Amino acid sequence: QQQVKQSPQSLIVQKGGISIINCAYENTAFDYFPWYQQFPGKGPALLIAIRPDVSEKKEGRFTISFNKSAKQFSLHIMDSQPGDSATYFCAASGGFKTIFGAGTRLFVKA
Amino acid sequence: GAVVSQHPSWVICKSGTSVKIECRSLDFQATTMFWYRQFPKQSLMLMATSNEGSKATYEQGVEKDKFLINHASLTLSTLTVTSAHPEDSSFYICSARRTSVTGELFFGEGSRLTVL
């Protein structure tokens, strides 16, 4: 019940393309769903987050789509750039608990 | 976003020595901080939850006598790896919860520990 399943494990996208990363959770008590971006040798940085009262949130080229009934959420990166190449973690948070997905390594080809 | 500073960013030590890593929230008060360990190409593994003014809560399998955590103020938590061994070599990351926003975590830059 505490797992957050993230896919794909790795992703290669052409520059200008759309990168899509998916996550699924089990515990309906989660009420905060962030995405973190991590570059090698650095700590994760909060990218964008959503709460279950909305189905979509957009910030620049980054969009979270949230499907409460399916208990799934996804990150879309529009117009992907080589600088977006990093590892992305989804997470689900409820109370003082945050569960992280396994991560997706994104590589954007120039 | 909020700033969490972690120091040192990398450290090399001899086997048997102790190493202290500091985690500071620079522009907000954090009653709760978290310490993680991250192995190459893997996700974050929560080691312990650090609460200001009280004992840390350790995850199952984490040796509390080896990984000493102190959260003496609302802006500082420290992780001390005692009697370090090569198998303790890893990337350690802290995060702080900004209590005004439920669930929101901010991470430090991480500390790369290499034990020779």
Side-chain angles (χ1 to χ4, degrees):
Chain A
Q1 264 220 329
Q2 292 286 53
Q3 281 191 331
V4 175
K5 295 182 180 178
Q6 183 172 346
S7 63
Q9 190 174 17
S10 61
L11 182 60
I12 300 174
V13 174
Q14 289 283 358
K15 179 183 176 182
I18 303 174
S19 304
I20 302 175
I21 305 171
N22 302 298
C23 281
Y25 64 100
E26 299 171 349
N27 191 339
T28 55
F30 292 137
D31 60 0
Y32 178 73
F33 302 89
W35 285 89
Y36 292 92
Q37 179 188 56
Q38 185 180 29
F39 293 104
K42 300 292 185 182
L46 179 64
L47 191 62
I48 187 172
I50 198 168
R51 296 195 182 273
D53 53 344
V54 297
S55 60
E56 186 175 283
K57 183 175 181 180
K58 183 176 181 179
E59 289 183 0
R61 295 185 294 110
F62 302 93
T63 300
I64 298 179
S65 296
F66 186 83
N67 186 328
K68 188 175 181 178
S69 60
K71 292 187 283 187
Q72 295 175 347
F73 58 111
S74 60
L75 175 69
H76 291 63
I77 305 175
M78 312 299 288
D79 187 27
S80 299
Q81 299 297 312
D84 297 329
S85 298
T87 299
Y88 293 81
F89 294 97
C90 65
S93 181
F96 283 95
K97 201 79 173 178
T98 299
I99 308 296
F100 292 90
T104 296
R105 299 183 76 191
L106 171 65
F107 180 69
V108 181
K109 292 202 290 187
Chain B
V3 180
V4 175
S5 173
Q6 193 172 335
H7 177 81
S9 55
W10 59 270
V11 57
I12 302 172
C13 70
K14 292 182 179 179
S15 185
T17 60
S18 294
V19 174
K20 181 185 285 188
I21 301 170
E22 292 187 348
C23 180
R24 294 180 185 273
S25 56
L26 298 184
D27 54 356
F28 67 98
Q29 293 184 332
T31 55
T32 305
M33 290 184 172
F34 304 88
W35 287 96
Y36 306 82
R37 187 171 179 176
Q38 187 176 36
F39 294 100
K41 299 181 183 180
Q42 291 192 25
S43 189
L44 303 162
M45 184 186 81
L46 180 65
M47 297 174 65
T49 301
S50 169
N51 298 296
E52 187 266 336
S54 64
K55 290 183 178 180
T57 303
Y58 290 82
E59 295 298 304
Q60 193 172 11
V62 177
E63 298 177 61
K64 60 182 179 182
D65 294 331
K66 166 166 274 297
F67 300 101
L68 300 179
I69 291 172
N70 183 273
H71 194 157
S73 77
L74 285 171
T75 59
L76 173 64
S77 176
T78 60
L79 167 68
T80 301
V81 183
T82 62
S83 186
H85 290 281
E87 58 265 30
D88 299 324
S89 298
S90 192
F91 192 55
Y92 293 90
I93 310 172
C94 71
S95 72
R97 178 182 299 279
R98 191 165 62 177
T99 54
S100 61
V101 181
T102 304
E104 198 170 38
L105 289 177
F106 294 93
F107 286 85
E109 288 281 332
S111 299
R112 170 74 59 193
L113 170 64
T114 301
V115 185
L116 301 177

